[in-house]
Amino acid sequence: AQTVTQSQPEMSVQEAETVTLSCTYDTSESDYYLFWYKQPPSRQMILVIRQEAYKQQNATENRFSVNFQKAAKSFSLKISDSQLGDAAMYFCAYRTTNYQLIWGAGTKLIIKP
Amino acid sequence: NAGVTQTPKFRVLKTGQSMTLLCAQDMNHEYMYWYRQDPGMGLRLIHYSVGEGTTAKGEVPDGYNVSRLKKQNFLLGLESAAPSQTSVYFCASRVSGANVLTFGAGSRLTVL
């Protein structure tokens, strides 16, 4: 069975600096998708970025980028120029071939002004 | 456009009571999901539906029932609530072939 591990329960970063959140996963599938979701205090789940496993190029969305290492089964999220609005829980998720999502336990990101 | 709407947003129940959470989506999505979120854990799938009139069990289905009588609605029922069902419940939906889920705002349920 697939598993997703986020080893950092909490991270903090100074405003305007860069922070990297870690995610590792275990799977025997070759075709899958990976996601980072953000959950602010409002509880709303918001998609931050996604990566298709067959694409070697790392996905980027403005200040958010990933470091996808398929062989190492690693999928980290880098947030550049951190802003106060980035404070939230961040969840890594893996989409199986039958479209089920397996979620990590989350990382709480604190932004220090 | 409302997206995915969950009602109620908050509810307190006593052990043994029953209740139904309603999820409504106005995007004509085929797939709908119910998750629960507990502290220190990722979301866990309770039940899901691939279309009107169909439902299937997820990772943690025990103690819950669901129905999808209309395409736009997905109901989650607790027949006899237990304290272990205290959680935040999320509904999500997606269109067939899409990878991205659209989530509701969550429903916080407390069972005393």
Side-chain angles (χ1 to χ4, degrees):
Chain A
Q2 296 86 2
T3 59
V4 175
T5 302
Q6 292 180 249
S7 59
Q8 306 153 316
E10 186 174 296
M11 292 282 285
S12 64
V13 64
Q14 206 71 34
E15 191 177 4
E17 293 188 345
T18 296
V19 64
T20 298
L21 308 184
S22 301
C23 173
T24 59
Y25 59 95
D26 189 25
T27 184
S28 57
E29 297 176 334
S30 58
D31 182 23
Y32 50 88
Y33 282 74
L34 294 161
F35 305 87
W36 278 99
Y37 278 86
K38 169 185 177 181
Q39 186 181 38
S42 67
R43 283 202 316 238
Q44 186 72 49
M45 281 288 190
I46 302 165
L47 178 67
V48 175
I49 199 165
R50 63 182 133 173
Q51 174 78 42
E52 297 159 273
Y54 67 86
K55 288 188 176 180
Q56 293 187 352
Q57 186 173 5
N58 289 325
T60 62
E61 288 285 345
N62 300 315
R63 297 183 295 108
F64 299 86
S65 62
V66 298
N67 183 5
F68 175 48
Q69 302 288 328
K70 190 173 184 179
K73 297 179 182 175
S74 171
F75 182 60
S76 60
L77 174 69
K78 185 171 84 171
I79 306 173
S80 304
D81 185 25
S82 298
Q83 300 175 0
L84 294 177
D86 295 333
M89 286 290 293
Y90 286 81
F91 292 92
C92 178
Y94 170 101
R95 193 222 77 184
T96 68
T97 51
N98 64 352
Y99 284 78
Q100 301 301 338
L101 280 179
I102 310 298
W103 296 77
T107 296
K108 182 178 182 180
L109 179 62
I110 298 168
I111 311 294
K112 298 177 181 177
Chain B
N1 56 359
V4 177
T5 303
Q6 294 181 226
T7 52
K9 289 185 168 48
F10 301 93
R11 185 74 187 270
V12 178
L13 288 177
K14 294 181 179 178
T15 297
Q17 287 185 320
S18 64
M19 76 155 296
T20 300
L21 295 174
L22 170 63
C23 177
Q25 52 94 4
D26 60 0
M27 299 168 287
N28 204 33
H29 286 177
E30 291 85 0
Y31 291 75
M32 297 187 75
Y33 304 82
W34 275 109
Y35 290 93
R36 61 177 288 172
Q37 182 179 32
D38 300 295
M41 301 180 72
L43 276 69
R44 292 183 292 168
L45 183 64
I46 304 171
H47 286 280
Y48 65 100
S49 170
V50 302
E52 181 179 323
T54 70
T55 63
K57 293 180 180 180
E59 179 186 357
V60 289
D62 293 344
Y64 304 95
N65 56 76
V66 289
S67 64
R68 183 107 181 260
L69 298 179
K70 295 182 179 180
K71 187 177 184 179
Q72 64 268 33
N73 295 337
F74 194 30
L75 278 64
L76 178 70
L78 286 72
E79 289 186 350
S80 179
S84 61
Q85 294 177 305
T86 293
S87 188
V88 179
Y89 292 85
F90 284 93
C91 178
S93 70
R94 67 173 176 91
V95 68
S96 179
N99 290 300
V100 179
L101 296 178
T102 300
F103 283 87
S107 298
R108 179 176 294 278
L109 174 65
T110 301
V111 183
L112 302 176

